[in-house]
């Protein structure tokens, strides 16, 4: 991530010399942890436990207030207001990305904050979603005025969540591919981000008008689908204006039943992996291919963006291939369903891994840049130096808030924990498909290989970037 130069990469990653043991030993330790977890699951987890969410309403006044209609209206209005402030800052504020509210708000506070909140509190983004708020308000207004509500088009079932998957890749492409032109003076500016937000808003509201607000949020609206995916890991969920608790992880088991869901989670892992490898593991390859395009006559910006686009596509294909190889291997165990059924049936096991990659790669960026968000960016959102709304415009970032070594341990812990949870979800689903626990465990040798591969790949990206 290079959009925010106020965050030096040295603070986001750890130099190998700072580690008490060599980085490669972490890969061995992580692999060992996964293997131990695998055999522990095989011995102690012999019945499926996560297929039933066991959702129960929380009988408290606070819970009722949280999901009440006035609270939803307030949250929706706040979401619309914050979107408007960020867009206005991008259009009218400074072009310096580190001083303008827009880039930090969209690419750090929102993009990284809501997944973390979702894992803890459930789908927090849903009530704050500005486009959902506008769509619902428009529907309520037409009903109140007695205007006949336009009949929504039938949404193609096969399309599923593919629009969200494509939109997810496009969003990250805007940030990490289009934005790399900044090194040549043609990168992602706050103005460009604001224009992109307006274009996306128009597109989203049009789709909501065609297919219905709630359906589009569930299938096509990028942020609703993406943040909602991570929220399935949490224990809280609102149903029909009632807040309840459920088993951790259990809500993920039915998430991937919609076509295109696998593409969303693969896109999440692949785009994060590419961003982590762009200036590390892939650096030499990117420079070599870029040089070839320059020799062919392409301009500097076009050559760099085309090269990064190719590597991004290859990364997405690589992540998908690793998962599909694991699914293909499971077919060697008799009594299982078709390859297509296995492919979608185990897709939810990648959700904890997607969150682990997100946490590992962006933890330090979020920690440091949020200090900027809630000090000088909040007081002077345009970055012009002429306002100090809350008296914090002179604030800064305390890079000593967390040591580089502590950040490294968080990264490693996140990767190991995410893959152990992925193994757990896969094992539980295998017990549903293969009634014999021995067959279920044998089928998961392949998923163990997938988890080990993704863990080592994640640690490799972090360690190479530390050189």
């Amino acid at each position: 991530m290079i959009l925010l130069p106020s965050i030096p990469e040295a603070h986001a990653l750890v130099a190998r010399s700072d580690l008490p043991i060599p980085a490669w030993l972490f890969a061995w330790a992580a692999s060992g942890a996964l293997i131990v977890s695998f055999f522990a699951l095989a011995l102690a987890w012999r019945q499926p436990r996560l297929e039933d969410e066991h959702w129960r309403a929380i009988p408290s006044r606070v819970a009722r207030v949280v999901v009440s209609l006035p609270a939803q209206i307030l949250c929706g209005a706040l979401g619309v207001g914050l979107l408007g402030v960020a867009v206005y800052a991008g259009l009218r504020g400074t072009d310096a990305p580190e001083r303008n509210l827009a880039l930090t708000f969209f690419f750090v506070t929102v993009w990284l904050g809501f997944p973390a909140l979702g894992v803890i509190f459930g789908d927090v983004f849903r009530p704050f979603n500005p486009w959902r708020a506008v769509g619902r308000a428009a529907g309520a207004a037409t009903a109140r005025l007695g205007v006949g509500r336009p009949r929504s088009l039938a949404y193609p079932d096969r399309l599923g969540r593919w629009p969200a998957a494509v939109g997810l890749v496009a969003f990250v492409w805007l940030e990490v591919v289009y934005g790399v032109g900044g090194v040549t003076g043609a990168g992602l500016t706050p103005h460009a981000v604001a224009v992109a937000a307006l274009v996306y808003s128009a597109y989203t509201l049009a789709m909501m008008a065609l297919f219905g607000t709630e359906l589009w949020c569930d299938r096509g609206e990028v942020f609703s689908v993406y943040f909602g995916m991570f929220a399935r890991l949490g224990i809280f969920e609102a149903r029909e204006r009632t807040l309840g608790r459920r088993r951790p992880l259990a809500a993920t088991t039915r998430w991937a039943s919609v076509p295109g869901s696998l593409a969303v989670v693969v896109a999440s892992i692949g785009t994060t992996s590419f961003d982590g490898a762009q200036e590390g593991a892939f650096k030499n390859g990117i420079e070599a291919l870029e040089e070839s395009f320059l020799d062919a006559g392409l301009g500097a910006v076009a050559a760099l963006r085309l090269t990064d686009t190719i590597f991004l596509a290859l990364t997405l294909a690589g992540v998908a291939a690793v998962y599909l190889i694991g699914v293909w291997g499971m077919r060697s165990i008799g009594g299982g369903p078709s390859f297509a059924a296995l492919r979608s049936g185990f897709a939810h096991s990648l959700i904890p891994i997607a969150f682990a990659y997100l946490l590992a790669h962006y933890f330090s960026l979020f920690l440091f840049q949020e200090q900027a968000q809630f000090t000088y960016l909040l007081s002077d959102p345009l970055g012009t130096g002429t306002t100090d709304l809350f008296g914090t415009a002179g604030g800064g970032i305390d890079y000593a808030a967390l040591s580089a070594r502590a950040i490294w341990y968080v990264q490693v812990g996140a990767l190991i924990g995410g893959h152990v949870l992925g193994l757990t979800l896969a094992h539980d689903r295998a017990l549903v498909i293969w009634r014999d626990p021995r067959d279920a465990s044998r089928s998961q040798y392949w998923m163990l290989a997938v988890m080990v591969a993704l863990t080592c790949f994640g640690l490799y990206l972090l360690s190479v970037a530390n050189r």
Side-chain angles (χ1 to χ4, degrees), residues 142-429:
T142 55
R144 180 65 63 89
L145 294 173
V147 179
R149 183 177 179 179
R151 185 176 180 181
S152 300
L153 296 179
Y155 188 82
D157 289 336
R158 290 192 300 177
L159 194 58
R161 294 192 174 113
W162 279 103
V166 174
L168 171 59
V169 175
F171 178 84
V172 178
W173 182 91
L174 180 69
E175 178 193 10
V176 302
V177 176
Y178 183 85
V180 298
V183 298
T184 58
L188 188 61
T189 64
H191 186 273
V193 171
V195 171
L198 290 174
V199 171
Y200 179 76
S201 297
Y203 159 75
T204 299
L205 294 176
M207 293 299 102
M208 288 179 173
L210 288 175
F211 299 112
T213 299
E214 298 299 344
L215 188 145
W216 187 250
C217 284
D218 181 67
R219 302 296 176 91
E221 203 279 290
V222 177
F223 303 99
S224 294
V225 172
Y226 183 68
F227 299 145
M229 175 182 72
F230 292 121
R232 293 298 185 106
L233 298 170
I235 64 172
F236 297 106
E237 181 187 9
R239 296 182 181 179
E240 298 179 355
R241 297 186 186 177
T242 301
L243 184 64
R245 291 188 299 249
R246 62 196 178 194
R247 281 182 173 176
L249 304 179
T252 64
T253 57
R254 292 176 177 81
W255 179 81
S257 60
V258 178
S261 298
L262 174 60
V264 173
V265 68
V266 166
S268 176
I269 297 173
T271 52
T272 304
S273 299
F274 170 75
D275 194 13
Q278 192 177 23
E279 296 297 325
F282 293 167
K283 184 176 181 180
N284 292 336
I286 288 175
E287 290 177 351
L289 184 57
E290 179 191 2
E291 190 67 30
S292 299
F293 287 134
L294 289 172
D295 293 341
L298 283 181
V301 173
L304 183 55
R305 287 175 178 165
L306 178 58
T307 300
D308 282 343
T309 300
I310 292 173
F311 272 82
L312 173 59
L314 291 174
T315 305
L316 293 170
V319 172
V322 170
Y323 172 74
L324 294 177
I325 289 172
V327 173
W328 176 82
M330 281 190 281
R331 294 188 64 199
S332 62
I333 306 301
S338 65
F339 177 80
L342 290 172
R343 183 182 61 204
S344 62
F346 286 85
H348 67 290
S349 67
L350 297 179
I351 297 177
I353 299 171
F355 181 74
Y357 268 59
L358 197 72
L359 181 60
H361 285 282
Y362 300 129
F363 169 72
S364 58
L365 173 71
F366 184 79
L367 175 70
F368 294 127
Q369 195 63 20
E370 285 306 279
Q371 296 180 47
Q373 174 74 84
F374 288 100
T375 54
Y376 60 86
L377 291 177
L378 193 63
S379 273
D380 184 17
L382 303 186
T384 57
T386 58
T387 59
D388 191 1
L389 300 176
F390 302 101
T392 57
I397 299 173
D398 179 13
Y399 291 112
L402 196 64
S403 70
R405 181 175 295 181
I407 292 172
W408 170 257
Y409 286 134
V410 169
Q411 293 171 327
V412 173
L415 287 175
I416 296 176
H419 287 82
V420 169
L421 293 179
L423 268 180
T424 302
L425 287 171
H427 178 78
D428 192 79
R429 176 53 56 84

Side-chain angles (χ1 to χ4, degrees), residues 94-127:
T94 177
D95 282 338
E98 73 277 11
R99 301 298 305 181
N100 193 302
L101 172 77
L103 269 70
T104 296
F105 178 77
F106 285 122
F107 291 108
V108 180
T109 303
V110 172
W111 188 246
L112 305 180
F114 277 111
L117 290 174
V119 168
I120 300 171
F121 300 110
D123 196 354
V124 180
F125 178 72
R126 182 179 175 84

